[in-house]
Amino acid sequence: MSNASNAELPRTVDPFRLAEQNVTLEGAIPLKALSRFRDAVFRTEEGSQCQITLSFSLDSERRRMVAGELSAPVVLECQRCMGPMPFTLVSRFTLGLVTTDEQAQQLPKELEPFLTDDFSADLWSMAEDELLLALPPFPLHERNECSASATLESLESGAAADEPEQTSDDNPFSVLAGLKTKKH
């Protein structure tokens, strides 16, 4: 998405009109405006934005859809060292635009429903939902970049030393190996 615009994405649009006209919107959403998302991450840098492209269309059965891709720089908390971890969230999604739960249930499995009013969809809320879904459940630094990795390695090598060496007599499969070599 290198050609994404820094112009702010409109907050609300008429999604059905856009779908019928095959409109693609590109823009940015300031992360400071997405409070649910900000609460879910370690922090967002001042002035950081979510870059987003949304393509509205109708499918062969005249269902209104929006396909999107977004990326946003955030700082997550490494679950190993609990330190800050810069990360770029990326998401691609296809949503079916619906106005009722009944319509949502009729969508094919590959389309996630996005519930909107007849003439108004909150694109920022849509983007925030997708950002929340894109968050990794257990963010971890690469092992060589994590301040906890030295502690982990000493624990792991210590744990290996505490375990007794397993001899072939302890191996439950050693009996099978013996059977295999006997001639009948």
Side-chain angles (χ1 to χ4, degrees):
M1 289 193 350
S2 56
N3 62 349
S5 163
N6 279 327
E8 205 170 85
L9 190 78
R11 187 183 284 268
T12 54
V13 296
D14 176 344
F16 300 127
R17 188 176 59 78
L18 295 180
E20 282 159 17
Q21 296 173 352
N22 278 324
V23 172
T24 296
L25 298 177
E26 278 189 72
I29 300 172
L31 291 180
K32 68 178 185 215
L34 305 178
S35 57
R36 285 183 301 139
F37 177 68
R38 275 200 345 270
D39 290 346
V41 299
F42 191 66
R43 73 170 181 261
T44 57
E45 299 296 352
E46 187 63 38
S48 55
Q49 298 180 314
C50 170
Q51 296 293 336
I52 186 164
T53 303
L54 297 172
S55 300
F56 294 83
S57 62
L58 297 174
D59 71 4
S60 58
E61 297 185 28
R62 299 204 44 80
R63 281 186 286 253
R64 296 166 182 101
M65 304 167 31
V66 59
E69 62 179 279
L70 55 77
S71 69
V74 294
V75 180
L76 302 177
E77 183 175 52
C78 172
Q79 297 302 293
R80 202 175 4 231
C81 70
M82 306 317 265
M85 183 182 122
F87 192 80
T88 300
L89 290 176
V90 177
S91 176
R92 285 190 167 80
F93 52 92
T94 306
L95 307 174
L97 300 167
V98 294
T99 54
T100 64
D101 287 334
E102 292 77 38
Q103 287 177 350
Q105 288 163 7
Q106 292 166 10
L107 287 174
K109 282 194 297 285
E110 64 273 10
L111 283 180
E112 285 292 316
F114 182 70
L115 202 57
T116 73
D117 294 333
D118 279 329
F119 303 108
S120 173
D122 184 336
L123 299 184
W124 289 23
S125 174
M126 175 197 294
E128 186 169 36
D129 290 347
E130 293 304 321
L131 284 168
L132 289 166
L133 289 170
L135 284 171
F138 296 103
L140 296 171
H141 283 115
E142 290 299 320
R143 201 167 176 122
N144 59 350
E145 296 171 8
C146 189
S147 62
S149 60
T151 312
L152 274 175
E153 282 162 21
S154 68
L155 285 172
E156 286 168 357
S157 62
D162 292 346
E163 283 183 31
E165 287 292 311
Q166 206 176 39
T167 63
S168 61
D169 295 343
D170 296 340
N171 186 338
F173 297 106
S174 58
V175 175
L176 294 175
L179 289 174
K180 193 173 165 188
T181 56
K182 288 183 185 164
K183 300 235 186 287
H184 290 285

